[in-house]
Amino acid sequence: MTDVTSSKSARRPHHWRRELVELAAVFTAVAVVDMVAKLIAYTPDGPFLLLAAAVAILATAGFHIWWARRHGLRPEPPGVPGTGTATGGAVRSGGGPAPGRVPAAGGHGTPAADGPANTPGDSGASAEQPVPEETVLRRLRTTVRDEPGSLAALCAALADLRADVVSLQTHPLAQGTVDEFLLRTPVSLPVERLRETVVAAGGTDVWTEHADAHDLVDTPTRVLELATRTALDAAELPLALRRLLGRCTIRSRPAVTAAGRPDGDPPPVEGVLEGTVIKLRDPRGGTITVERHHLPFTPAEFARARALMELDARLGPRTPDGADVLTLPRGEEIVVRRADQDDLAAAKEMQARCSDRTLRLRYHGPAGDAHRYLDHLLNPRHGRTLAVETSSGLLVGLGHLLWDGDETEVALLVEDDWQRRGIGSELLKRLVALARDSGSQGVYAVTQSSNTAMVAAMRGLQLPLEYQVEEGTLVITARPEPAETDLRCLHDRAGR
């Protein structure tokens, strides 16, 4: 319910005394005019006097109209200050600003009083239209007091900086509230001034960073998209947690070490929230740790991470179906598909058929330790794996894509008898495509300078490359162009 009452519903009481007095005044005026007219009419110059009086009255009326138009003495239109009505903009019932926009004053739902508002009738004032200033998207996060008017004061301060609030999320705390804004600010606005203004308006623990067009997606839509990706592919869980919680580091620790000994106590089922660290129990065994040193986690973010983990636990182990049949230049047919820990036995058999030189180039260590890494590499918590099989079902190649923050690592292993047939290049192209779809900013390979096959495969990507050499170890980084992921094609892409 609003406080504005329509004119039809505002009925005034019936004042019959006033109407009686007005009627008596009309009769009295008619009688006086009739008496004056009769007195003047019976004089010798009566008609001329009546005509002169009429002309004088018309001249006076015309002069008054001219004077009023010349000096702008027009009646005030409704909605200007002093009339008791407000037409400049609607105030949301409940006292808050409309979603996605800042209020026009320092109070919650209070109209601005900094100057006279322009009304539709002010056609005489012709002001030049300002040139639109270039803007940039920024994310702003701060803690405010949980009391009426604190958010309105912060929004008013942002409005003074010409910062438009595109979206707003609130994270309630035991003491105060964390407000996370997506702002469109002028490019010329310094970050330090933005922070100082927020602090002056009552904000604490101010944090800001640049945003991009992906942040324009509202939170419910983004959460549903991440849930869909996780439901289709278990390897998407670390990526979904990272996109859900922002820039953070995710580590997966197995329940037992490579030697078979327990690796610490797992966290409780409900998880643990410790400031900048979240610990969750992995349904596959072990612990998933999420760290964000620059910003503490809120209880709302912790609840979202737990919900995503519970979804993964209920769906169980899963790998996208689908395989591609390819024909090599020599005429052999191979099958490229996704692999997981169910392929551990076949992967060990393939490594047993590989030469010591091939294993050393792949693992940068003794060939006898190669089997120790397979279980980790095939775990979808750490990335994705593509397997290459012959038409008879023999595993002859593996390609790994391992999550590493904003970047991903690629690693290839092809059995000796099937090398130099284009299998490694095909695996690498597909892994880079998966990295691009996951939003990775870079794909790097750690190899040796003598591994000419891996260097040639990276060059064959036709992407900008960066080289770093340290003590015989060569790190080659490719920068794929970002690509949008269509949820309807996610299942097909993940299976390639």
Side-chain angles (χ1 to χ4, degrees):
M1 293 296 293
T2 61
D3 297 333
V4 180
T5 306
S6 63
S7 59
K8 292 182 180 181
S9 62
R11 298 184 178 274
R12 297 180 178 179
H14 186 71
H15 300 288
W16 59 271
R17 296 184 183 87
R18 179 183 300 175
E19 294 181 357
L20 184 60
V21 172
E22 291 176 354
L23 185 60
V26 170
F27 278 104
T28 302
V30 172
V32 172
V33 171
D34 181 68
M35 181 181 64
V36 173
K38 288 180 179 180
L39 290 175
I40 296 176
Y42 289 114
T43 60
D45 298 328
F48 296 101
L49 292 175
L50 289 177
L51 181 60
V55 172
I57 293 174
L58 292 175
T60 303
F63 176 77
H64 177 73
I65 295 175
W66 172 81
W67 181 269
R69 291 183 178 178
R70 180 181 179 87
H71 296 277
L73 299 178
R74 291 172 292 180
E76 291 184 345
V80 299
T83 60
T85 59
T87 59
V91 178
R92 185 176 61 179
S93 61
R101 292 295 181 267
V102 298
H108 227 46
T110 306
D114 295 336
N118 292 331
T119 60
D122 283 338
S123 59
S126 58
E128 295 183 359
Q129 295 293 334
V131 179
E133 187 175 1
E134 187 178 357
T135 59
V136 64
L137 288 174
R138 285 175 178 168
R139 292 177 60 195
L140 172 69
R141 188 163 178 159
T142 183
T143 304
V144 298
R145 298 183 305 273
D146 190 9
E147 59 185 34
S150 58
L151 178 58
L154 180 57
C155 291
L158 293 174
D160 292 339
L161 298 177
R162 303 185 62 82
D164 181 27
V165 179
V166 180
S167 65
L168 168 64
Q169 294 185 54
T170 59
H171 302 260
L173 302 177
Q175 298 292 333
T177 301
V178 175
D179 291 335
E180 186 172 350
F181 296 88
L182 179 61
L183 303 175
R184 183 177 284 109
T185 64
V187 176
S188 59
L189 177 63
V191 177
E192 289 302 323
R193 184 184 175 191
L194 176 61
R195 291 176 179 171
E196 293 173 357
T197 302
V198 173
V199 172
T204 59
D205 300 328
V206 182
W207 170 83
T208 181
E209 70 173 359
H210 283 283
D212 55 23
H214 296 86
D215 294 311
L216 294 173
V217 180
D218 60 284
T219 302
T221 302
R222 184 167 65 250
V223 171
L224 289 174
E225 177 187 353
L226 297 178
T228 303
R229 296 175 67 97
T230 305
L232 293 175
D233 188 355
E236 287 285 339
L237 179 63
L239 294 178
L241 288 173
R242 181 176 176 81
R243 292 186 179 183
L244 183 66
L245 303 175
R247 292 189 297 110
C248 57
T249 302
I250 300 177
R251 297 184 177 89
S252 180
R253 188 183 65 186
V256 295
T257 63
R261 294 188 299 269
D263 191 7
D265 296 330
V269 178
E270 62 273 11
V272 176
L273 171 60
E274 299 175 345
T276 59
V277 179
I278 291 178
K279 294 183 179 180
L280 301 170
R281 178 178 293 186
D282 191 342
R284 294 172 177 259
T287 305
I288 293 181
T289 304
V290 185
E291 297 183 13
R292 190 175 64 188
H293 297 291
H294 64 281
L295 201 62
F297 292 108
T298 64
E301 291 175 318
F302 177 59
R304 295 171 186 172
R306 284 181 50 192
L308 201 59
M309 186 66 69
E310 290 177 4
L311 173 65
D312 178 79
R314 288 182 178 274
L315 294 176
R318 60 205 177 280
T319 301
D321 297 330
D324 291 339
V325 179
L326 304 178
T327 302
L328 299 177
R330 299 183 183 179
E332 304 97 331
E333 287 189 351
I334 59 173
V335 177
V336 182
R337 61 171 178 84
R338 284 286 302 276
D340 55 16
Q341 291 174 305
D342 293 338
D343 299 290
L344 180 60
K348 289 182 177 181
E349 293 177 0
M350 183 199 72
Q351 286 193 156
R353 296 192 299 268
C354 293
S355 64
D356 291 346
R357 179 180 182 276
T358 297
L359 295 178
R360 284 196 303 269
L361 289 176
R362 166 62 185 88
Y363 294 107
H364 317 291
D369 296 338
H371 292 342
R372 297 174 52 187
Y373 307 110
L374 279 177
D375 186 67
H376 174 87
L377 294 173
L378 293 174
N379 190 335
R381 290 288 183 263
H382 306 294
R384 295 192 180 112
T385 300
L386 296 180
V388 178
E389 294 180 338
T390 63
S391 56
S392 60
L394 182 66
L395 186 66
V396 295
L398 288 173
H400 306 285
L401 184 69
L402 305 175
W403 313 133
D404 187 15
D406 293 330
E407 297 183 345
T408 51
E409 180 185 357
V410 290
L412 304 176
L413 178 63
V414 179
E415 189 177 332
D416 293 62
D417 294 340
W418 289 84
Q419 294 178 5
R420 297 179 180 84
R421 303 190 188 190
I423 295 179
S425 298
E426 182 65 28
L427 283 174
L428 184 60
K429 292 179 181 178
R430 291 171 179 265
L431 292 174
V432 171
L434 290 175
R436 182 176 60 248
D437 291 343
S438 65
S440 177
Q441 299 179 6
V443 179
Y444 67 91
V446 181
T447 183
Q448 299 180 14
S449 303
S450 58
N451 192 350
T452 57
M454 189 65 183
V455 175
M458 292 293 290
R459 288 178 178 176
L461 295 174
Q462 301 298 320
L463 294 174
L465 299 179
E466 301 173 4
Y467 298 89
Q468 294 181 356
V469 180
E470 295 182 2
E471 300 180 357
T473 300
L474 176 62
V475 180
I476 309 175
T477 304
R479 303 293 179 185
E481 297 181 357
E484 295 290 339
T485 302
D486 188 352
L487 287 177
R488 294 172 297 180
C489 302
L490 179 62
H491 188 277
D492 295 335
R493 290 184 180 182
R496 293 180 181 177

